[in-house]
Amino acid sequence: MNTYVPKKQSLIALSVLSAMSMTSLPAFAQEADTQAKAKKQQEDVESIVVTGRNVSYANSAASEEMKKQQTPMTSVLALVDNLPGVLVTEGDPFGSDEWSTSISIRGFQLNLESQQIGMTVDGISNGNSNYGGGTKASRYIDTENLRGVEVSQGTADISSRSNEALGGTMDFTTILPALDEQLTVSTTLAEHNARKFYVRYDTGEIARDTFAWLSLSSQQNDDYMDGSITNKRDHAEGKIISTIGEVDITGYVSYDDAEEYTYQRVYGLAQYAENSQWDGLTEDWSGVPYQDQVFREGWVTERENFFTYLKADFAVGEVDFSTNVYYHENEGAGKWIPYYIADVTDDGAGNPNSELDSSTTALGGASQGLIYFVNRAGETLSPIAGCESSIGFPYGGGGAEIDPGCYEQGAIPVSSNRHTHYDKKRYGINGDFTWHTSISDMDNVLRGGFWYEDYHREEYRDWHKTIDAATGPRYDETPYWIQYDREFPVETLMYYVEDELDTGFAKFRLGAKQFKVDVAKDDQFVPENDLDVSSDSDVLISAGFVAPLPVDGLEVFGGYAENFAAVKDAVLERDDADVSAVEPETADNIDFGLRYSTPGFNASLTYYNIKFENRITFISNEDVDGIDFLESAAGGYVNDGGIESDGIEASIDYKINENFGVYVSYTKNESTYTDEDFNGKTVIGSPEDMAVISFDYAKNDFYAGFSTKYVGERFLDQANTQEVDSYVVSDLYMGKTAYDIGGSIESVELSFTVNNVFDEEYLGSIAPNAGWIGAPRIASFNVRFVM
């Protein structure tokens, strides 16, 4: 992996800082200002390819070749899909639909139902990964600004800033500024009307020991089902590094504005077998509200994210310190089109419905019934007695009340636009120290630190009358009902300490950390619904060792960690949920393995065992019978027993010669439920076998590669009655770079990428009793100028 490290003496400390940020926040070490030590740091970073660093737990990092397998439009999440133990599935070819995005590591899930995998950006917490108000790394970082991704599959670094990291952590890091002034312009074109325009300006040295970059990008792509909608994303990002006296400063800012249309999951293998290329959403407005609830344009999420941080790194004697402050704001809305008006005001029998009057808005309360058709006076109509509906789509159809053919002539259909609004603000501070000392002539490193975050999320839902449900989805901007308005303050404090002793024959570490998490709900309409939940952890122990073996380049490692995931604020959303019965999730992780590293050959083999308790599962309100827009049926989060996982992860990265390399990984995972109802059954969406083989070629200015991933059978349901077929997906890439072509252009790079080369049909992301259709073949072309 070619990793850029500044060579100027005044920036060497920052080079060390950036390199170590791929692993953990407090490991930033101040090095002597010498070219030799800068070179050593660069070599250390370049060794982090797939097999991982020499630490006491399994870890791996995305290589440069894995980045080339994806387009510049693709989500940064997709870059880690070929790493051992990791499965990333996205319903959209470019990852522009977070609704259908899923990540699985060792049986742990990150999807609509669960957030059990930690995620950090430059070592800083991402602020939850859930769909409703969460933000994954793909919304912080433009793919072309990504420096690296490291995955700790189980036992993460003790300093990891996440209270979701039950079964691993992914740390996404951003690039450093270039030392010299330069302008990078990139254009990507792909199928399905996909295109991206990207520009980055590196300032060079704008002040003494101060360098920066700023990037802007805009991209869009149509849905691949019928091309009826267009996903859009505008992104701005920047970074500055500086040395002021003995203090190294890093500043970062990111803004993202996305409009993403979601795909619908298919319910069961029978529906998938009927048509494996259609998710059941329609491209045309029919004028029948029951059918227009699946109008593709109505399934949309709009999100804006603003994130910034400021870091300072310095040394006092033999102790290195690192600290940062950060701020994040997320706002947006998720939208659907219910096929009725909710009757929330008792207007009296035979009177016009006030819900159709734009001058009135009901606050809170509950729906007393549903309005499907009205007369010109706005009075509710009833279907003709004895009429049987002929509507069978979607969700198997409904009764006479939803069928316009069951009403007298002149009946007017009505429907709603339901918007769920999110607004989240969070700020935090991190502080860490590293003290290098010795005990009886043995090197000793003592680390410690804390993370504090104040998080405040507001969520409210309003219902808007569709102006004319017979002709289109446009809605009255004044809502007729604000169903709820609630706020979720969350306060997190994490602190840790760890000691590592190098005895010569092995390095041993022992650490402990603890979380203090307070989660509350403040109902703005009904104070009686307020909740306050303490989600503190016990003291969590972490330990491990790394020891070299007699064979040069071979080492053995082992690690144990007690991991924890706090109760999320989403668990408190439902007023009818019994949160007193929901406990934080916990997991005990054990890693044991071998690593072998020599020039041109790297290999690793890891055995893991995990005991996961108090698994929190979301019971969805969307199912085969349709969407419960009012959330009147049972739906929410419950502890769903436990899981036991064990397996092996293996990888080999072999440079056959100076031009040709091969990478192979294999995962054998057995994740089963331990609860009484489904004891011994395989975890939903968790494959027992995965394998990757990738061939990569580079000579002079030309490069190419071909990668194939096998994903074994998975189950749609806890009872394991519906088994999803295995699948194989292949990616192809090739490119060429031309240098010194004249004028102000330093280089031009042309690249061509084809994902899912053989257009494999498969189910990708899995949710209980349902799954999303996997993305089809997509070809893209990119041209990149550096000036």
Side-chain angles (χ1 to χ4, degrees), residues 445-658:
V445 179
L446 180 65
R447 304 168 53 198
F450 73 94
W451 164 40
Y452 172 80
E453 179 177 279
D454 187 283
Y455 165 116
H456 186 276
R457 179 169 73 90
E458 179 181 0
E459 179 184 317
Y460 70 93
R461 176 172 293 164
D462 54 18
W463 293 63
H464 302 254
K465 179 192 69 174
T466 305
I467 294 174
D468 184 358
T471 61
R474 295 178 181 85
Y475 57 86
D476 190 332
E477 293 186 357
T478 301
Y480 69 82
W481 181 31
I482 300 179
Q483 184 176 2
Y484 61 77
D485 185 353
R486 52 211 185 192
E487 298 179 0
F488 300 90
V490 181
E491 196 170 13
T492 300
L493 174 64
M494 184 273 283
Y495 43 88
Y496 74 94
V497 63
E498 181 185 74
D499 190 77
E500 182 180 78
L501 181 66
D502 187 349
T503 63
F505 63 88
K507 291 182 180 179
F508 297 92
R509 67 174 180 87
L510 177 64
K513 68 177 177 180
Q514 188 170 28
F515 288 89
K516 301 288 186 180
V517 183
D518 290 322
V519 186
K521 177 177 74 173
D522 298 331
D523 193 309
Q524 303 302 293
F525 291 158
V526 186
E528 290 77 13
N529 290 331
D530 289 355
L531 294 169
D532 192 344
V533 177
S534 177
S535 187
D536 299 345
S537 74
D538 296 330
V539 175
L540 306 173
I541 302 300
S542 177
F545 71 92
V546 181
L549 296 176
V551 178
D552 188 32
L554 182 64
E555 67 180 17
V556 61
F557 66 90
Y560 168 79
E562 297 172 347
N563 290 356
F564 163 86
V567 173
K568 313 296 188 301
D569 60 351
V571 174
L572 282 62
E573 289 181 348
R574 296 296 299 271
D575 295 332
D576 57 355
D578 182 10
V579 296
S580 64
V582 180
E583 300 179 4
E585 298 174 310
T586 61
D588 294 338
N589 290 260
I590 296 175
D591 286 352
F592 185 78
L594 296 168
R595 293 192 194 96
Y596 179 69
S597 180
T598 59
F601 186 85
N602 295 275
S604 70
L605 177 65
T606 303
Y607 167 78
Y608 59 86
N609 180 270
I610 304 169
K611 292 185 178 180
F612 173 22
E613 297 180 345
N614 300 328
R615 177 175 178 265
I616 297 176
T617 301
F618 178 72
I619 305 301
S620 175
N621 294 306
E622 179 194 354
D623 59 27
V624 69
D625 295 322
I627 306 167
D628 180 13
F629 297 107
L630 289 164
E631 295 185 345
S632 56
Y637 292 83
V638 297
N639 285 115
D640 194 19
I643 292 174
E644 287 189 0
S645 296
D646 68 346
I648 59 171
E649 296 164 346
S651 68
I652 295 174
D653 189 18
Y654 178 40
K655 192 77 170 177
I656 297 175
N657 55 44
E658 63 179 8

Side-chain angles (χ1 to χ4, degrees), residues 421-441:
H421 301 264
Y422 308 97
D423 188 1
K424 177 175 67 180
K425 296 179 177 65
R426 65 187 183 98
Y427 64 86
I429 182 171
N430 296 292
D432 306 272
F433 73 88
T434 304
W435 180 24
H436 297 268
T437 184
S438 61
I439 298 176
S440 300
D441 295 328

Side-chain angles (χ1 to χ4, degrees), residues 1-3 22 45-49 61-65 147-148:
M1 180 174 65
N2 296 322
T3 306
M22 295 180 67
V45 173
E46 291 178 346
S47 69
I48 306 172
V49 181
S63 66
E64 187 65 25
E65 289 75 18
R147 181 166 181 258

